[in-house]
Amino acid sequence: MKTITTTQELQAFCDTARTKAYVTVDTEFLRERTYYSKLCLVQLAMPGNSDDTAVLVDPLAEGISLEPLYELFRDESVVKVFHAARQDLEIFWVDAGVFPKPLFDTQVAAMVCGFGEQAGYETLVRKIVHQPLDKTSRFTDWSRRPLSDAQKVYALADVTHLRKIYEYLAAELEKSGRSHWVTEELEILTDPATYDLRPEEAWHRVKTRTNSARFLAIVRALAAFRESYAQDHNIPRNRVYKDDALVEMASVKPRTHADLGGLRLLLREARKGAIADGILKAIGEGIDCPADQLPKLDRSREKLQVNPALADLLRVLLKAKTESAGVAAKLIAPSADLDAIAGGERDLPALKGWRKEVFGADALRLCEGKIALAAKGQTVRVVDL
């Protein structure tokens, strides 16, 4: 189990990898104590079975640069294969402003190829590679050195088995003509906006029961301050204050440090110093926000006149179509989008691109009364009217 600890060794491996059709990639990281993920290990494997085709890269080794890896990521002649790539891609984008291209995500491909809605890596190893997978090292501290042999074996398995999984799924997609479906799905993963965590938009993630515009203005200001502070100090946002404390402050509207001391849910560390000052300033900004700049909730879907019977028919159609196509329904449309289609909304992913081929075209025909659904035994079929 070779562990690369120098830039020169990494360069040599990546130079060889750039002559291959693909390379499999995985990472191990920590995020429990930081805002941004701390990269602790990179696993790489090329096609083949010899010992030198799979390596561990130690990004914590003194003096090592990952630039040779990023050069490989930029080389569009080599497919970069991940499983559930989103968090891995966020690390590389934040650290180096680079996305691996072209990208192949076996989790997405597996959902397109009929492996269900939660195609975990362990499931794919069992069903495609026909090997067991030891996950006992999954939650170990990857920042500690030296790594144990058990950790190294676990980490390498995440890229060595991935070779057969990729080759199998790529062949299945080629056979079915669905490769472009996966390509469309992965475009969002290589869009910088996916990882652009803007403080001014953070309030959308806070769940509240009050929809008063003034209350939401305070929530927006408190969430923006928390996000900025967490980013600047590289700590988890919940270490600044949790959502329940944020909502409590927006309701109570403390204006002094003494007021903060009386709050039930606010962490002790947040009742003084820079965090306390930021909280009071944010509350003031929310209270004083001009009326024309108050946040507005998107209530467009609440105004839709949803036909519940049509929505139920769309659910039946979706189930029939995805079972017939061998595609996870989760990839096509969530339940809320089916209600929106039944209410007349048309600017939805389910009605565009490859989803339209599988479901969207017939969904529109169903809404227009051009088709009906007929059940026979265990199957549901579309009937033209």
Side-chain angles (χ1 to χ4, degrees), residues 213-241:
R214 185 63 59 186
F215 171 84
L216 292 175
I218 301 172
V219 168
R220 180 176 64 184
L222 285 169
F225 165 70
R226 180 178 65 174
E227 203 75 14
S228 296
Y229 188 93
Q231 290 175 356
D232 292 344
H233 293 81
N234 195 23
I235 59 174
R237 61 177 66 89
N238 282 349
R239 285 267 302 277
V240 186
Y241 41 82

Side-chain angles (χ1 to χ4, degrees), residues 13 75 83 103 136 187 205 211 215 347 366 375:
F13 182 88
D75 187 339
H83 180 82
L103 172 69
T136 55
E187 286 178 357
R205 296 193 298 269
N211 295 326
F215 171 84
D347 186 19
L366 182 65

Side-chain angles (χ1 to χ4, degrees), residues 27 34 43 56 67 98 125 150 196 198 226 262 285 361 382:
T27 69
T34 58
Q43 304 98 280
L56 305 174
E67 185 54 33
V98 63
V125 171
D196 183 13
R198 294 181 292 172
R226 180 178 65 174
E285 289 173 356
V382 172

Side-chain angles (χ1 to χ4, degrees), residues 184-258:
E184 282 184 37
E185 285 304 292
L186 296 182
E187 286 178 357
I188 191 171
L189 288 180
T190 53
D191 181 354
T194 301
Y195 311 96
D196 183 13
L197 302 175
R198 294 181 292 172
E200 63 272 19
E201 299 296 331
W203 69 281
H204 292 292
R205 296 193 298 269
V206 180
K207 294 181 180 179
T208 68
R209 294 182 178 179
T210 304
N211 295 326
S212 155
R214 185 63 59 186
F215 171 84
L216 292 175
I218 301 172
V219 168
R220 180 176 64 184
L222 285 169
F225 165 70
R226 180 178 65 174
E227 203 75 14
S228 296
Y229 188 93
Q231 290 175 356
D232 292 344
H233 293 81
N234 195 23
I235 59 174
R237 61 177 66 89
N238 282 349
R239 285 267 302 277
V240 186
Y241 41 82
K242 296 182 179 180
D243 281 3
D244 54 1
L246 189 156
V247 173
E248 180 187 33
M249 289 187 289
S251 300
V252 176
K253 305 179 187 63
R255 300 307 301 269
T256 68
H257 289 78

Side-chain angles (χ1 to χ4, degrees), residues 373-381:
L373 302 178
K376 184 177 181 181
Q378 298 297 313
T379 62
V380 173
R381 61 189 179 90

